[in-house]
């Protein structure tokens, strides 16, 4: 299955896509709002998720894209393996990171009714975060809106210049700061 999601554009056409990183994951599998989750009943056990697995294409406001594969890890241990590549066929050989979908909150106003989510990617050496929104009425969605990420100056970490490679990121190390 292919899910397409796009970056929300600011009204002034400026795009913010700061990398959000925490030194350790902010949410744990024991939090009620973290997916996938374990389930058991008399006849079955396994993992249940609120987001669809498969290959997703992230398309930004300039039309550039990145591919992600969200794949269930297993039935005894519940997490999502996330693969990332520039081309869809490169997902087959891409490295993966254990990840979780985190349901953050609901925004309900006269204009919008969205559920806000984060994808927490990685465990050891910390986690990176992608912020998502989807229509609240849908139990499962084919489309997400990727929210812009503008970091407070107080949270920016930057290393030395490495040619054209970015070394800066947004350091968020508590749920309160998220």
């Amino acid at each position: 299955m292919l899910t397409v999601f796009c970056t929300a554009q600011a009204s002034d056409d400026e795009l913010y896509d700061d990398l959000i990183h925490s030194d350790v994951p902010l949410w744990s599998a024991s939090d009620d709002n973290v997916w996938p989750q374990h389930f058991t009943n008399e006849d079955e056990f396994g993992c249940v998720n609120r987001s669809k697995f498969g290959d997703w294409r992230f398309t930004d406001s300039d039309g550039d894209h990145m591919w992600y594969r969200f794949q269930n890890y297993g039935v005894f241990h519940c997490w999502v393996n996330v693969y990332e590549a520039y081309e869809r066929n490169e997902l087959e050989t891409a490295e993966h990171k254990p990840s979780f979908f985190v349901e953050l909150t609901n925004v309900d106003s006269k204009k919008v009714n969205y559920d806000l989510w984060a994808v927490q990617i990685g465990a050891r050496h910390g986690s990176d975060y992608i912020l998502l929104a989807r229509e609240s009425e849908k139990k499962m969605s084919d489309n997400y809106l990727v929210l812009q990420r503008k970091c407070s100056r107080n949270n920016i970490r930057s290393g030395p210049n490495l040619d054209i490679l970015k070394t800066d990121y947004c350091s968020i190390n508590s749920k309160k700061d998220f």
Side-chain angles (χ1 to χ4, degrees):
M1 176 207 341
L2 172 67
T3 302
V4 178
F5 53 112
C6 303
T7 303
Q9 188 70 15
S11 59
D12 62 0
D13 288 336
E14 189 168 5
L15 178 66
Y16 297 101
D17 64 349
D18 296 336
L19 171 67
I20 298 174
H21 180 80
S22 64
D23 295 339
V24 295
L26 299 177
W27 285 271
S28 76
S30 64
D31 291 328
D32 290 340
N33 60 332
V34 173
W35 300 87
Q37 295 179 354
H38 293 92
F39 78 91
T40 59
N41 60 36
E42 290 180 16
D43 301 322
E44 301 174 310
F45 68 93
C47 303
V48 62
N49 197 25
R50 299 227 8 241
S51 296
K52 293 183 178 180
F53 297 123
D55 293 352
W56 294 18
R57 185 181 65 209
F58 166 73
T59 305
D60 68 18
S61 58
D62 295 327
D64 296 328
H65 63 269
M66 176 70 76
W67 285 92
Y68 291 87
R69 176 168 291 158
F70 294 89
Q71 195 172 59
N72 184 45
Y73 171 76
V75 296
F76 293 107
H77 303 287
C78 296
W79 67 75
V80 178
N81 283 329
V82 174
Y83 304 76
E84 180 181 353
Y86 289 106
E87 299 294 333
R88 187 176 189 183
N89 63 350
E90 294 172 353
L91 291 170
E92 297 298 326
T93 57
E95 291 187 36
H96 64 275
K97 293 182 180 178
S99 304
F100 295 91
F101 290 94
V102 181
E103 188 174 13
L104 299 172
T105 191
N106 176 268
V107 176
D108 190 5
S109 71
K110 292 179 182 177
K111 294 183 179 183
V112 299
N113 189 1
Y114 281 99
D115 293 325
L116 300 181
W117 290 77
V119 182
Q120 178 174 271
I121 302 173
R124 195 172 212 179
H125 303 297
S127 299
D128 296 333
Y129 295 87
I130 300 173
L131 305 179
L132 306 172
R134 73 175 186 193
E135 292 180 42
S136 295
E137 293 80 34
K138 297 185 175 184
K139 296 257 187 219
M140 291 284 229
S141 182
D142 288 341
N143 292 292
Y144 285 86
L145 187 63
V146 176
L147 302 177
Q148 293 196 52
R149 302 164 311 273
K150 183 177 181 184
C151 189
S152 162
R153 288 189 170 268
N154 296 340
N155 295 82
I156 294 175
R157 303 291 180 264
S158 186
N161 186 354
L162 298 173
D163 197 16
I164 64 168
L165 300 174
K166 287 186 170 188
T167 61
D168 62 320
Y169 67 94
C170 188
S171 179
I172 303 292
N173 289 307
S174 75
K175 291 180 189 178
K176 179 184 69 131
D177 293 337
F178 199 81

